[in-house]
Amino acid sequence: MLDSTRSTSNLSYPAAEGWNLKPVTAFSSFCRSSIGKKFIVAATGVVLILFVVGHLLGNLQIFLGPDWVNGYAEHLRELGPLLWVIRAFLLVNVLLHIYFTISLAIENRRARPVSYKKKDYIKATFASRYMAMSGLIVLAFILYHLAHFTVRVTDPRFLLLKADPLNRYDVYSMMVYGFQNIFVSGFYILGMFLLALHLSHGTSSFFQSLGLNDKKLTPRLATAGRVFAWLIFIGYTSIPVAVLLHLVKPAQQL
Amino acid sequence: MNFKLKVWRQKDPKTKGKLVAYEATDVSPNMSFLEMLDVVNERLVARGEEPIAFDSDCREGICGTCSLTINGEAHGPDHPGAACEVYMRRFKDSATIVVEPFRAKPFPLIKDLVVDRGALDRIVQAGGFISARAGSAPEANSTLVPKHEADRAMEAAACIGCGACAAACPNASAMLFTAAKVSHLAFLPQGQPERTSRVLKMVTAMDAEGFGNCTNTYECEAVCPAQISASLIAKLNREYAIASLRRNAGE
Ligand code: SF4
Ligand code: FES
């Protein structure tokens, strides 16, 4: 190795001098460190994965008929303020996940100012190398998805929907009419594809980032993560596919 | 055998570099890659041209000095193994071979294929040691180490500090190196007294050098000549989190 004394002189490491910091400073220095940021990205990722699973279980009730879905949606709404607490919590998680990922990505760019003319990857998967891309497209999808089904501003037909026989909002028919549009379903399936790509790396990756991994677990987690991600994909896309194939029909006519 | 080489030539850190084409003719298949470069250099010198500068020392895969990116792979196509352990029979006759230096901001280029990897030494200087009494070797059985712990420590200690992990990483992260250095002492009783401060100092040093951040692509372990497992990075993350908690608690 090259003579290392050459350029050491002017570098000073704050932690090397006094690592016994006050708790507040200690926490903020954790959040500014490479590993700390990874921890936050992983921990918020876990919350978002749990949400993705919960949301899927909610959606799949469409196959159980209008009564199930509409009742489930009514239950969620009845949570009232608690629902807003949950939404705020999810929002904070999304924002932290994005903020820290972007700050890591910027540092990673800077860490290799001159790139290789020729670069081969041996082990790194496509999903692992394009996490930022898949993540940003999923974000764009989520924004559209919220406008579509939560705020309901993109489809004028939703205004014509009447309440169901039990006087609840007819979520079932809303979903069916929403997905009858081939472009809406197409974008949805694309969004889910990128989500699955993101999760196929993210699901095993968070174990590593949180330090919950060892040599034997690595290959098993990688496989399990991939299987999990594509099950999520199949689960979510089964709904628009069923609607487009007319296997699921609206409960009311407009 | 004959080869077409495309070698990164750069006079000094300030000049712009570029890939320059060379012909390597009459190469024995049993030459190592570095011996092939030696032959090319001899011919360059005979023609009065500047030879290609590259690093090497032991030429048997134990010192970690050689540092070539051959055809886009750190240490070339023969993993696990250092660039000095790659033989020309590994390539197809008349193949084109691209040779570049290890690229990462903390590895500033000195000349051609030579980079300064002092950043790795500074990470070790920040805490990769034990502050123990130096002197004659202690009695062998005075500190007992369970066999499997000793094995794990030895596996981590196998890191030769070549920097290929950072060179191959899409993010130029040196986490595999740091993980190996932190882990091998964390596995041993001798490493315990400074275990908490060591990981904090070494990670801070690693970040200060400007390495990128691991995104768990495991490209590092694919090129590591010492076969350091990326699962040690999980251990590093664990060590760092626990050490941060202890620091947070004011210990
Ligand atoms: S971990 Fe492997 S690739 Fe990285 S410096 Fe050590 S020996 Fe080289
Ligand atoms: S020259 Fe020593 S490892 Fe290659």
Side-chain angles (χ1 to χ4, degrees):
Chain A
M1 193 158 298
L2 282 153
D3 173 21
S4 60
T5 49
R6 196 170 342 123
S7 38
T8 48
S9 47
N10 294 331
L11 267 174
S12 78
Y13 305 128
E17 284 147 18
W19 66 277
N20 232 336
L21 304 169
K22 280 200 217 85
V24 187
T25 352
F27 181 69
S28 77
S29 96
F30 176 76
C31 292
R32 270 183 279 112
S33 72
S34 51
I35 295 179
K37 287 182 200 158
K38 273 162 55 85
F39 246 77
I40 296 168
V41 172
T44 52
V46 175
V47 172
L48 299 176
I49 288 176
L50 291 176
F51 168 75
V52 164
V53 173
H55 188 30
L56 174 63
L57 294 179
N59 287 4
L60 287 178
Q61 296 177 43
I62 194 170
F63 293 116
L64 299 174
D67 199 39
W68 271 88
V69 192
N70 296 354
Y72 167 70
E74 188 74 10
H75 270 308
L76 284 184
R77 258 192 299 276
E78 273 164 7
L79 291 176
L82 188 60
L83 180 64
W84 283 102
V85 173
I86 296 172
R87 282 175 171 166
F89 176 67
L90 285 172
L91 181 68
V92 169
N93 272 283
V94 170
L95 292 178
L96 288 176
H97 194 71
I98 298 174
Y99 173 80
F100 282 99
T101 316
I102 291 182
S103 106
L104 288 171
I106 292 174
E107 286 173 14
N108 293 350
R109 276 271 155 98
R110 288 201 189 123
R112 180 164 296 134
V114 185
S115 50
Y116 288 103
K117 292 277 180 231
K118 181 171 165 58
K119 178 84 182 100
D120 271 2
Y121 288 99
I122 307 161
K123 205 159 194 176
T125 56
F126 179 85
S128 72
R129 284 168 44 216
Y130 293 97
M131 287 297 273
M133 179 211 69
S134 57
L136 286 175
I137 300 177
V138 169
L139 176 68
F141 167 77
I142 293 173
L143 294 177
Y144 166 74
H145 186 64
L146 287 174
H148 185 210
F149 281 143
T150 309
V151 197
R152 297 194 279 267
V153 290
T154 60
D155 194 337
R157 288 190 308 171
F158 290 172
L159 296 172
L160 305 173
L161 282 173
K162 295 176 282 290
D164 79 346
L166 290 175
N167 206 21
R168 298 172 300 201
Y169 187 77
D170 193 355
V171 177
Y172 181 86
S173 303
M174 177 195 77
M175 281 166 79
V176 178
Y177 280 120
F179 284 132
Q180 276 180 351
N181 182 326
I182 182 100
F183 295 107
V184 169
S185 285
F187 186 43
Y188 186 88
I189 293 171
L190 180 73
M192 289 305 107
F193 177 79
L194 284 148
L195 176 67
L197 199 66
H198 200 73
L199 293 184
S200 74
H201 176 67
T203 311
S204 53
S205 196
F206 82 71
F207 285 95
Q208 172 86 354
S209 292
L210 296 178
L212 308 170
N213 194 7
D214 68 21
K215 214 170 179 172
K216 281 208 201 85
L217 266 179
T218 311
R220 294 182 202 166
L221 284 176
T223 315
R226 260 173 236 147
V227 171
F228 168 80
W230 295 105
L231 283 178
I232 292 280
F233 176 75
I234 294 171
Y236 274 104
T237 50
S238 67
I239 299 167
V241 168
V243 169
L244 287 175
L245 295 177
H246 297 289
L247 298 175
V248 177
K249 296 194 184 70
Q252 57 169 287
Q253 294 306 318
L254 293 182
Chain B
M1 299 177 93
N2 300 314
F3 300 99
K4 287 189 190 64
L5 302 181
K6 284 188 169 171
V7 183
W8 186 263
R9 301 301 309 260
Q10 184 169 343
K11 220 171 114 233
D12 53 52
K14 290 191 188 69
T15 338
K16 243 183 102 147
K18 62 170 190 295
L19 286 175
V20 177
Y22 295 97
E23 298 283 338
T25 47
D26 296 325
V27 173
S28 151
N30 296 327
M31 273 183 186
S32 76
F33 197 85
L34 301 187
E35 283 166 341
M36 182 276 297
L37 285 181
D38 288 337
V39 170
V40 171
N41 272 346
E42 274 170 23
R43 292 176 191 163
L44 284 177
V45 172
R47 288 208 306 257
E49 287 176 41
E50 181 80 13
I52 302 161
F54 64 92
D55 263 334
S56 79
D57 190 8
C58 72
R59 298 207 176 189
E60 55 178 11
I62 55 171
C63 73
T65 308
C66 53
S67 54
L68 302 177
T69 302
I70 305 169
N71 277 343
E73 290 180 32
H75 286 315
D78 233 357
H79 307 291
C84 57
E85 297 173 290
V86 176
Y87 289 89
M88 295 320 291
R89 52 179 178 263
R90 195 67 181 68
F91 299 90
K92 283 208 189 72
D93 195 19
S94 67
T96 304
I97 307 173
V98 181
V99 194
E100 290 178 85
F102 279 2
R103 297 215 185 272
K105 187 164 162 246
F107 295 163
L109 191 139
I110 298 171
K111 186 178 179 177
D112 295 343
L113 303 168
V114 181
V115 297
D116 178 358
R117 282 162 292 164
L120 299 182
D121 296 344
R122 292 190 290 274
I123 294 175
V124 172
Q125 282 163 4
F129 49 80
I130 52 168
S131 309
R133 173 187 66 96
S136 56
E139 206 275 310
N141 291 327
S142 59
T143 312
L144 296 177
V145 183
K147 172 82 168 81
H148 81 278
E149 292 292 307
D151 286 346
R152 297 216 284 172
M154 278 308 281
E155 267 175 40
C159 166
I160 55 174
C162 62
C165 41
C169 174
N171 315 311
S173 161
M175 287 234 189
L176 191 64
F177 167 82
T178 311
K181 297 300 173 202
V182 165
S183 301
H184 95 264
L185 291 174
F187 282 132
L188 294 173
Q190 292 87 343
Q192 299 314 308
E194 289 150 304
R195 186 168 173 177
T196 305
S197 62
R198 173 182 307 115
V199 60
L200 293 171
K201 287 174 181 172
M202 289 182 74
V203 169
T204 309
M206 172 182 81
D207 291 350
E209 291 291 347
F211 287 104
N213 308 286
C214 175
T215 55
N216 309 335
T217 67
Y218 307 144
E219 195 60 21
C220 49
E221 80 176 3
V223 300
C224 174
Q227 288 178 281
I228 304 294
S229 159
S231 61
L232 285 185
I233 298 179
K235 180 172 175 61
L236 172 70
N237 296 341
R238 200 156 62 228
E239 294 276 330
Y240 185 77
I242 293 169
S244 294
L245 273 179
R246 298 184 68 162
R247 175 159 74 171
N248 227 349
E251 275 183 39

